[in-house]
Amino acid sequence: MKAVILSGGFGTRLRPLTINTPKSMVPVLNIPFLEYFIKRLKSHKVSDIALAVSYLAEPIKDYFGDGSRFDVKLSYTVEETPLGTAGAVKNAGGFIDGPTLVFNGDIFTDLDLTAMMENHNQNKAMLTIALTPVEDPTSYGLVETDNRNRILRFLEKPNPDEITTNMINAGTYILEPEVISLIPSQTNCSFERDIFPLLLREKKDVFAYPADCYWIDIGKPENYFQLHYDLLNGKSNQYRFNNGKKKVVTGTHCIIHPSAQITGPAVIGNNCVIGEDVKINGSVVIGSNCQISNNSVVDDSILWNSVHVEPLARIKHTIIANNSHIGSGSTIEEAVLGNNAIIGYGQHVKAGRLVSPNTIVN
Ligand code: GDD
Ligand code: MG
């Protein structure tokens, strides 16, 4: 089966990280998010993949190219301006010649795609939507089914008083080409708000595939964090620390001072320098070419590449994007810093602050 991955949204809720980096390319344990996706498809023998891109397409194309490095065939369908989830798939219509998997490109899940494909065929469905349980469906698409998994109702972003189930659209679909013929060309169109309700009104064969496996949408900073914690703590079967034996994984050419304490679970990239009496506590990811200078403390945080932390800084539950610089003695808590942010000497960056790329805080 072929696959289309929707990778063209603005990633608004993940700003400032997604101002220069498309959501699909944000690093997860130092590997671009989309790489996990492509490897998972490959493991289910899905290797003909179209990426529906729009906003910030170049970094995706530069990294993945024609897919040969990952032993898959990748093509790109480009929207000049984003056409919405269904509009993007219509735009990829030339690629679709049979039942096709469609993915929201910001989901990390262990969903068994092979079983879902079998289930779609058995049901002779026109559309199958994977479902997952969540605590609060208000940020998602709520899906009501009957006891044979026929979908009765789809309600995108329900109000709290509209919640009738905890099962939501998990952002993975299998659709027959007939669904594509219902989507208008070159028009902004949403599966969730337009096409799914239309198919249900017309009583088409729309089935759910409920799955209770690891699932997360990385579209918000707290979820992006959560994915790291979950992977570092063995919650998904797509990543294992050396079979669970080693708590700190370090890349090549790192210089770590013997007095530095790293509790783990932590992943550290290549060419990093960790100074004297540095403390790295809890779940931490540090990219390549980073320097954490003497007596600094990093707790439960994610640092991308080439981040320079001067001495005596304290960083807690914070995401710091590429090439940022943290001045000595500064404290940063629960913040998100875009690329090339500069925090001066002795600053206090307050909880909840989002620092735009190329901003100087002093
Ligand atoms: N190519 C393209 N063009 N991709 C798009 C566009 C577009 O115009 N708009 C959104 N996307 C991509 C996003 O990049 C993302 O990968 C995916 O489509 C879903 O968009 P989000 O903006 O992340 O939607 P959401 O998280 O609020 O809700 C969706 O996902 C939930 C599951 O996480 C809906 O499908 C919900 O029903 C669902 O429950
Ligand atoms: Mg999303």
Side-chain angles (χ1 to χ4, degrees):
M1 205 180 271
K2 290 182 174 181
V4 178
I5 305 178
L6 296 168
S7 311
F10 289 117
T12 315
R13 288 160 292 183
L14 213 49
R15 282 183 187 158
L17 299 174
T18 43
I19 291 176
N20 323 89
T21 306
K23 189 157 60 165
S24 324
M25 291 300 288
V26 296
V28 171
L29 304 181
N30 295 332
I31 295 167
F33 181 76
L34 200 53
E35 188 168 331
Y36 294 90
F37 225 113
I38 286 171
K39 286 179 175 161
R40 186 167 73 94
L41 292 190
K42 174 77 191 158
S43 76
H44 287 279
K45 302 191 171 59
V46 176
S47 51
D48 199 352
I49 305 166
L51 294 177
V53 292
S54 178
Y55 172 69
L56 287 179
E58 288 313 312
I60 304 178
K61 290 182 179 173
D62 289 350
Y63 187 84
F64 289 100
D66 64 3
S68 47
R69 206 155 51 91
F70 302 93
D71 201 19
V72 297
K73 193 172 149 219
L74 275 188
S75 50
Y76 298 86
T77 56
V78 185
E79 299 142 63
E80 239 165 66
T81 51
L83 288 171
T85 48
V89 174
K90 179 74 173 186
N91 194 47
F95 167 82
I96 292 170
D97 55 8
T100 302
L101 277 155
V102 173
F103 297 93
N104 285 352
D106 60 350
I107 302 298
F108 194 105
T109 176
D110 293 345
L111 179 75
D112 183 346
L113 296 175
T114 306
M116 183 173 169
M117 291 188 270
E118 280 167 18
N119 182 272
H120 175 84
N121 293 335
Q122 273 163 12
N123 286 335
K124 298 191 171 39
M126 182 189 276
L127 166 69
T128 302
I129 301 179
L131 306 188
T132 191
V134 291
E135 266 180 32
D136 176 12
T138 54
S139 312
Y140 303 103
L142 177 141
V143 182
E144 290 175 7
T145 59
D146 69 11
N147 53 12
R148 296 161 84 187
N149 287 328
R150 236 174 216 282
I151 297 185
L152 303 173
R153 186 164 176 241
F154 191 104
L155 185 59
E156 185 64 13
K157 312 281 188 288
N159 293 323
D161 60 352
E162 292 175 309
I163 294 169
T164 49
T165 167
N166 66 340
M167 295 305 277
I168 59 119
N169 167 20
T172 299
Y173 321 123
I174 299 174
L175 45 85
E176 297 294 320
E178 209 179 328
V179 175
I180 309 294
S181 63
L182 299 171
I183 307 170
S185 295
Q186 293 305 315
T187 307
N188 195 293
C189 181
S190 155
F191 274 127
E192 298 85 345
R193 295 184 193 277
D194 304 315
I195 300 301
F196 296 162
L198 171 74
L199 290 171
L200 293 173
R201 276 198 306 276
E202 295 195 349
K203 308 243 178 301
K204 301 289 189 192
D205 292 319
V206 181
F207 282 87
Y209 183 74
D212 197 0
C213 55
Y214 185 77
W215 183 93
I216 197 163
D217 173 331
I218 60 148
K220 292 187 276 189
E222 57 267 36
N223 289 15
Y224 176 64
F225 258 124
Q226 189 66 45
L227 173 59
H228 281 80
Y229 294 154
D230 290 344
L231 293 182
L232 290 171
N233 292 290
K235 297 273 169 62
S236 156
N237 57 30
Q238 289 182 65
Y239 180 80
R240 288 273 173 271
F241 265 133
N242 267 351
N243 297 323
K245 286 186 194 125
K246 205 170 163 188
K247 291 211 74 180
V248 181
V249 174
T250 311
T252 55
H253 305 110
C254 290
I255 304 170
I256 300 179
H257 194 278
S259 63
Q261 294 172 26
I262 309 177
T263 65
V267 171
I268 298 173
N270 301 325
N271 310 314
C272 290
V273 179
I274 313 264
E276 216 174 315
D277 291 323
V278 164
K279 291 192 175 57
I280 296 180
N281 302 316
S283 303
V284 171
V285 179
I286 295 176
S288 288
N289 307 310
C290 289
Q291 180 168 351
I292 316 290
S293 308
N294 298 356
N295 301 98
S296 284
V297 181
V298 180
D299 289 338
D300 289 321
S301 291
I302 303 166
L303 277 52
W304 292 9
N305 295 325
S306 305
V307 172
H308 186 159
V309 179
E310 288 187 3
L312 292 159
R314 294 187 66 96
I315 298 168
K316 192 173 179 184
H317 202 70
T318 285
I319 307 168
I320 305 180
N322 297 328
N323 302 312
S324 291
H325 192 106
I326 313 301
S328 62
S330 287
T331 59
I332 309 180
E333 243 180 80
E334 292 174 28
V336 183
L337 277 57
N339 284 350
N340 309 311
I342 299 178
I343 309 297
Y345 159 84
Q347 297 296 307
H348 178 61
V349 178
K350 287 199 194 117
R353 177 139 182 209
L354 306 177
V355 179
S356 300
N358 310 310
T359 301
I360 302 175
V361 176
N362 61 14

